[in-house]
Amino acid sequence: MAWASIGALLLLLTHNTSANQRQCLANINNMTIYGKTDNQGHLLSPSTTNATAITYKLCVSQCGNDQQAFQWTVFSQQFGVWLLPWLALISQIPFGANDNLDNLETMLLTVGSPVLAAYSLGLTVLNERWIIRLFSKYRYPNAHEAVRILNSLQQSPLRVDSNDAWLASLIVLPQNKDWWREILIWLDYTHTWSISAVASIAWVIIAYVFTIIDYFSQGIPTTANDNGQGIGSIGTIWLWLLAIVVGWLKVSPKCDSKRLLQAVERANSIAYVATTDSIPCEARTVSDRRAISLNFADDNEARRDERSTSPIFNYSRLFFWVEAVKVVSDAFNNASDRSHHHEPIIPGVKLHPCREDDSLVRLAKASQVEEYCLPRYEDTRRSQSQGRWGLDSSTAIRISIASLFALILQWGTTGAAIIINWFVPTIGLGCRSASFIIYGALSTIVWIMLLISSLLTYYSVCTTERRLLKGHGAVSISYRIMSWFSVLLRRSGKIIATLNTVWIISTALLQFGSFYDRCYCNSNVFGSRDNAYNVIIPNQDDATRMREAWIGGFSLASMSTALFIGFVFLLTNAPYPNSI
């Protein structure tokens, strides 16, 4: 779809009738005609011979509304300098899914909604610090390993089964120490800096710096006309991609779906589970159920994005992942508390549960290990069971922080591109700046739609599961509608993101191909309406304002990008709790 659109645009650009507005202005200055203005839009005498701007109506009547001549050399040079490095950098986004369609969705969502990409990255970083802080107070075997494992599984459809002593067995039974070590070994791989990644990033940075230097070194007539109107904004509006790629390389998410599934399945093959009437045995001899598993086979359409391991879909996994972590955390918390008070796992057997040589602990029954992972006091049990949807109070805070930095990155780079175009004569809202406003707005709308979709999905799924567990029978129609609406929002958001991807690439191609260099766009009819006028020859005041806008725009985009990268680097690699 995107390539077809690009081909159609090239055909459109190369088959338009050319119009030279500078020559047209020279002809108008040799005429006595109403519509000549100065560069602020003030009307001049019809007999003036040195007008530098004309009204939109005069421009259309005398110059036509065709674009200026398409120049392949200019188009190819600007495409190679301002856009191609960014398109190449897209390849460094962590994809992870072993489905080409999911990987294509990842690319379209990332380009179509940088807010969503930055939001998912921010959540991943904040979740790591949250889980480290959550488990740091637990003094119990394998708590250290649990933090690393659960954090590594942020990019997966994680399921935790705490019923029938499955999770309790994994935590309490000494036989399962090998389970924790095995899964940690298989999850110990990274998607981090490579020669190709460094080369792509270096290419983007060097090209961007050199083009900015060249941009400032050119004269005003070159940069303000002849297909140069605000051309520097193209590189600026893509600067968010540098922050996303560098951020993910720093975080190094575990997102290879095959390796994640293999790691969990290998570990689960050696798991032990306590039984009700005999000694603990290998879980595979009892059931296919496991305490911790990855459910890639879930056919619930509302949870489709959760099954895609590309990190950008972490937005859809947040609530389910947090709930799973809280279940494991509560079990470790209770076991740690009982261990701290030297309570025996098997009543009457005064052995410390953290000692590996306590062979009798290996004989614990299901009821005993399950009791050991419950709170010591009944009132605490009730308060834990009554938690709202299994989430903690800091979830909303993490969402807010991730949203704030994502919006700063999006609108810092988009706003910079708008500023650069806004102050190019003619000053005001025109085709170029309006195109960037549309891109930023659609990106934000996609993020809002998918965020609401994830909330509705979690609410409907959790409510449905709780009703079924309580034996309330069929799910009410309201929850079905909620689930259906979440799917509708998700699909609509992805369609908009796809269109937005085509839009931002097309905007650059149109600008390179002089499509916007026509009376309508150069007169900023969008913002000025009936008072629209077209500045054809900028003066020194225009030059001063343009350079100030360039400096402000480039600085704003660079600072927004640096702020987001600093946010990611500052919060990653927090110290993990010590193992016992």
Side-chain angles (χ1 to χ4, degrees), residues 338 371 374-385:
R338 289 178 181 271
E371 177 68 21
L374 293 175
R376 299 174 65 225
Y377 303 105
E378 188 64 30
D379 57 343
T380 309
R381 296 186 186 187
R382 285 195 297 269
S383 64
Q384 278 191 2
S385 65

Side-chain angles (χ1 to χ4, degrees), residues 253-540:
K254 309 295 191 298
C255 55
D256 188 316
S257 58
K258 288 184 178 179
R259 297 187 68 168
L260 288 172
L261 186 59
Q262 288 174 356
V264 175
E265 288 183 343
R266 284 177 180 271
N268 281 337
S269 66
I270 60 173
Y272 279 78
V273 62
T275 61
T276 57
D277 53 4
S278 63
I279 63 173
C281 60
E282 291 185 340
R284 60 185 177 182
T285 65
V286 176
S287 170
D288 289 334
R289 291 171 59 186
R290 295 294 184 271
I292 293 179
S293 61
L294 304 183
N295 190 358
F296 286 101
D298 192 338
D299 59 356
N300 187 343
E301 180 60 25
R303 303 183 71 170
R304 182 188 181 281
D305 280 1
E306 188 187 352
R307 300 192 294 272
S308 178
T309 56
S310 298
I312 193 173
F313 294 107
N314 282 0
Y315 82 90
S316 66
R317 286 182 283 264
L318 171 67
F319 302 110
F320 294 103
W321 180 82
V322 169
E323 182 178 21
V325 169
K326 284 292 293 178
V327 171
V328 178
S329 171
D330 287 344
F332 268 105
N333 178 42
N334 298 330
S336 177
D337 184 45
R338 289 178 181 271
S339 173
H340 176 72
H341 289 86
H342 298 281
E343 289 190 14
I345 296 174
I346 302 175
V349 180
K350 297 294 183 179
L351 295 174
H352 197 286
C354 295
R355 288 173 49 190
E356 293 186 26
D357 59 350
D358 287 344
S359 57
L360 289 180
V361 176
R362 297 174 175 268
L363 306 178
K365 297 291 192 296
S367 59
Q368 294 167 342
V369 297
E370 197 165 21
E371 177 68 21
Y372 205 76
C373 290
L374 293 175
R376 299 174 65 225
Y377 303 105
E378 188 64 30
D379 57 343
T380 309
R381 296 186 186 187
R382 285 195 297 269
S383 64
Q384 278 191 2
S385 65
Q386 291 171 358
R388 184 65 173 172
W389 308 118
L391 303 179
D392 75 324
S393 58
S394 66
T395 303
I397 297 175
R398 296 199 302 279
I399 291 175
S400 300
I401 295 174
S403 301
L404 175 63
F405 278 91
L407 290 170
I408 288 175
L409 179 64
Q410 171 73 78
W411 287 103
T413 53
T414 302
I418 294 170
I419 290 172
I420 291 173
N421 276 291
W422 189 281
F423 287 95
V424 172
T426 306
I427 295 176
L429 178 64
C431 298
R432 301 167 183 83
S433 52
S435 298
F436 295 144
I437 292 175
I438 292 172
Y439 175 67
L442 290 180
S443 170
T444 306
I445 290 172
V446 169
W447 164 67
I448 292 173
M449 293 175 69
L450 294 182
L451 177 59
I452 295 175
S453 173
S454 67
L455 283 166
L456 293 178
T457 298
Y458 180 71
Y459 183 80
S460 62
V461 169
C462 288
T463 303
T464 300
E465 290 179 351
R466 282 165 173 75
R467 286 178 61 86
L468 293 176
L469 285 174
K470 293 178 180 179
H472 289 173
V475 181
S476 65
I477 188 65
S478 61
Y479 296 118
R480 294 180 184 273
I481 293 175
M482 191 180 302
S483 178
W484 174 84
F485 188 60
S486 71
V487 174
L488 177 64
L489 278 176
R490 189 191 72 231
R491 291 177 177 175
S492 301
K494 289 182 178 180
I495 292 174
I496 295 174
T498 300
L499 296 176
N500 208 26
T501 300
V502 175
W503 175 260
I504 191 59
I505 295 176
S506 301
T507 296
L509 297 180
L510 290 173
Q511 190 156 346
F512 299 153
S514 302
F515 181 82
Y516 290 141
D517 287 322
R518 59 180 70 235
C519 288
Y520 183 85
C521 293
N522 290 342
S523 300
N524 289 349
V525 178
F526 274 146
S528 301
R529 302 292 181 180
D530 294 336
N531 298 320
Y533 63 98
N534 181 10
V535 175
I536 298 177
I537 301 178
N539 56 31
Q540 189 57 44

